Amino acid sequence: MLEFDDHSVRIRNLTKTFGKHTVLSELNFDIKRGSITTILGFSGAGKSTLLKHILGLHHPTSGSIEVLGKDLSTLQEDKLREFRQNYGMLFQYAALFDSMTTIENVAFPLIEFTKLNESEIKEKAASLLKSVGLQEISFDKLPSELSGGMRKRVGLARALALSPQLMLYDEPTTGLDPITTKMVNDLIIETSKLHKDIGLTSIIISHDVKASLEISDYVAFLNRGNIVEYLPANDFKNSDHPLVQEFINL
């Protein structure tokens, strides 16, 4: 296991510009190890750009980002690719491989990044699917044969395949009905609790204020490339920052 302190992510004076457009500006932000932290903000605030920096997909124009004790800017591409095995990512629409069955989707990272044999891979993939509440009857179905909620479960099982220390969620409830939204939110909480022993850190990019306040330990509000409020979820709803109140009351 990697050695690092009580924070999984440390960002210092992070600035990112694209041409003359500044997306992130002198941003300072720490994310506590083992927490569920949600980043809220209006469209265009820089949430996706921040997430891509945490993943090492973007490099800062200036400043630094440290994840699990590693300064990402110091890692060569091959080392960065290897380091990303510490991440799990649940994409907005699950991003499953259409031509692969449920169990094949979950097995994919195990085939690519482990030395497990075929039998061990199948056993672990099945165990991961069961851990997110999927029955064996679904294992051989294609993504097109699954509901939106079931695809989210498969995506989460695949994201957990390499036992990550960081789980990233990109708008996990966008486009889902209220019942499925609750299921996904419950799944995020259950996943966090299930992996508490390794200090799993969950980072959520979201527009869903209600869910964020219910499931998060901490909530940050990003505006014009900077964190303008960052509080425990119970305190965030009572923030007196005008932008936060405007967002909450939309």
Side-chain angles (χ1 to χ4, degrees), residues 43-171:
S43 296
K47 300 188 300 298
S48 294
T49 301
L50 176 56
L51 187 67
K52 288 176 181 176
H53 277 82
I54 294 172
L55 283 164
L57 297 174
H58 281 336
H59 297 293
T61 303
S62 62
S64 65
I65 177 163
E66 191 178 279
V67 178
L68 304 178
K70 294 284 187 181
D71 184 343
L72 299 188
S73 64
T74 67
L75 298 179
Q76 298 295 325
E77 190 56 43
D78 59 332
K79 294 296 183 183
L80 188 55
R81 184 173 183 270
E82 182 181 338
F83 183 74
R84 287 198 188 105
Q85 293 178 40
N86 293 293
Y87 298 83
M89 179 79 197
L90 183 61
F91 296 93
Q92 187 169 329
Y93 297 106
L96 302 177
F97 297 111
D98 293 338
S99 61
M100 291 184 181
T101 64
T102 294
I103 198 163
E104 287 171 344
N105 264 282
V106 178
F108 182 79
L110 297 171
I111 294 169
E112 287 291 304
F113 298 107
T114 74
K115 295 181 180 178
L116 298 176
N117 62 41
E118 185 176 346
S119 175
E120 290 169 329
I121 287 172
K122 187 173 182 180
E123 182 180 347
K124 182 162 186 180
S127 175
L128 285 161
L129 285 166
K130 289 175 183 176
S131 76
V132 297
L134 280 172
Q135 306 297 319
E136 289 187 30
I137 193 171
S138 303
F139 289 7
D140 293 321
K141 291 185 177 181
L142 294 170
S144 60
E145 300 173 296
L146 303 175
S147 68
M150 291 172 75
R151 286 195 293 272
K152 291 281 188 180
R153 290 181 187 269
V154 178
L156 181 55
R158 184 179 64 184
L160 293 168
L162 299 178
S163 301
Q165 294 189 49
L166 236 69
M167 263 302 305
L168 308 177
Y169 299 88
D170 182 18
E171 298 286 358

Side-chain angles (χ1 to χ4, degrees), residues 164-184:
Q165 294 189 49
L166 236 69
M167 263 302 305
L168 308 177
Y169 299 88
D170 182 18
E171 298 286 358
T173 58
T174 294
L176 300 179
D177 62 76
I179 292 174
T180 308
T181 293
K182 184 180 184 306
M183 180 275 292
V184 171

